[in-house]
Amino acid sequence: MDCIFCKIVNGEIPSSKVYEDDKVYAFNDINPQSDRHILVIPKEHICCANRIDETNSSLVAHIFEVIPKIAAQEGLEFYRIINNCGEKAGQTVMHLHFHILSGENLGERLV
Ligand code: AMP
Ligand code: ZN
């Protein structure tokens, strides 16, 4: 499948790894929007939040169990989690991912 995040998971495209286990991969965003900008993805290809269902929601639960571990590991005391679902919401990579944004330059505005 021609998916850049699947290629990152299988090592075809290099990335700056932050965390990995059997189900999840996390890496630094190549174009950070704040002091720290980490992407957390399931290793399994799921296109977007709109495809979360009873067969794969445990993966999403797992991602949200992993996020505090990443925060602790990286020393992030505060952060924002963002998911863009659909091109018109700003989703440019069609592999489910959660942005973790942190740093003193983080504004209060959501949009
Ligand atoms: P979104 O706009 O929500 O789909 O987010 C996609 C994110 O992936 C953007 O913040 C990009 O900067 C990031 N991105 C795209 N390609 C790479 C890459 N090869 N390594 C790391 N981050 C990437
Ligand atoms: Zn993929």
Side-chain angles (χ1 to χ4, degrees):
M1 187 188 302
D2 197 22
C3 168
I4 61 169
F5 285 0
C6 283
K7 287 180 177 168
I8 282 176
V9 166
N10 69 29
E12 276 179 69
I13 293 178
S15 62
S16 163
K17 179 163 85 172
V18 173
Y19 174 92
E20 181 176 15
D21 65 26
D22 57 333
K23 298 192 269 298
V24 165
Y25 191 74
F27 53 106
N28 289 306
D29 196 293
I30 205 167
N31 183 24
Q33 300 300 307
S34 56
D35 295 340
R36 289 304 312 273
H37 186 169
I38 298 165
L39 300 174
V40 190
I41 68 175
K43 288 186 168 179
E44 177 186 326
H45 182 87
I46 300 170
C47 78
C48 55
N50 222 14
R51 289 289 181 277
I52 298 169
D53 61 23
E54 64 279 3
T55 70
N56 58 23
S57 60
S58 63
L59 258 180
V60 180
H62 182 67
I63 285 173
F64 276 81
E65 289 169 7
V66 159
I67 286 173
K69 293 183 189 173
I70 293 172
Q73 175 191 301
E74 299 300 307
L76 309 181
E77 291 173 16
F78 56 89
Y79 51 90
R80 177 174 298 148
I81 301 168
I82 291 178
N83 169 258
N84 296 321
C85 180
E87 280 177 26
K88 286 186 175 173
Q91 186 177 3
T92 57
V93 179
M94 293 300 143
H95 180 128
L96 180 67
H97 54 280
F98 295 91
H99 300 256
I100 302 176
L101 297 161
S102 187
E104 296 299 334
N105 62 340
L106 201 65
E108 288 180 7
R109 289 173 57 89
L110 283 179
V111 291

